[in-house]
């Protein structure tokens, strides 16, 4: 069984994964699809609202590891189109 990774080492792993042009593109895509800069509320559908908020929470957690704020991606998401 693998030895548990400490929080500091995990933080280093997150940074190494996203510290490249490719990682930045993936992070932008996660911010876009993870409702980081959009509302998660879906009127009349509490289940979809909860689903979207869960997606958002995961991306926000990644951003915290990287010490980045969601606002950092606002302009990037508008400038670079990511085809779905």
């Amino acid at each position: 069984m693998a030895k548990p990774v400490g929080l500091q080492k995990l933080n280093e792993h997150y940074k190494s994964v996203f510290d490249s042009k490719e990682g930045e593109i993936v992070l932008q895509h996660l911010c876009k699809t993870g409702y980081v800069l959009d509302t998660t509320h879906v009127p009349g559908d509490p289940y979809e609202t909860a689903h979207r908020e869960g997606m958002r929470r995961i991306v926000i957690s990644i951003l915290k590891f990287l010490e980045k704020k969601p606002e950092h991606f606002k302009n990037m998401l508008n400038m670079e189109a990511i085809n779905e």
Side-chain angles (χ1 to χ4, degrees):
M1 187 153 220
K3 180 181 173 187
V5 176
L7 191 58
Q8 182 175 350
K9 193 66 173 172
L10 184 60
N11 191 312
E12 291 172 16
H13 290 320
Y14 267 97
K15 287 182 179 181
S16 70
V17 167
F18 290 104
D19 191 24
S20 67
K21 180 61 179 168
E22 293 84 1
E24 188 80 8
I25 290 168
V26 169
L27 195 55
Q28 288 174 28
H29 183 255
L30 290 172
C31 286
K32 178 181 177 185
T33 60
Y35 303 95
V36 170
L37 298 170
D38 295 322
T39 183
T40 57
H41 178 69
V42 178
D45 192 345
Y47 299 105
E48 182 61 21
T49 297
H51 173 75
R52 289 181 181 194
E53 188 57 32
M55 292 172 61
R56 182 179 183 278
R57 179 66 189 106
I58 290 170
V59 179
I60 294 293
S61 178
I62 292 170
L63 292 176
K64 284 184 179 182
F65 270 107
L66 300 173
E67 299 173 352
K68 295 187 179 201
K69 296 183 185 238
E71 298 81 27
H72 172 80
F73 295 91
K74 188 172 188 174
N75 292 334
M76 288 182 191
L77 292 175
N78 292 333
M79 292 187 311
E80 294 187 32
I82 300 172
N83 294 327
E84 300 278 331

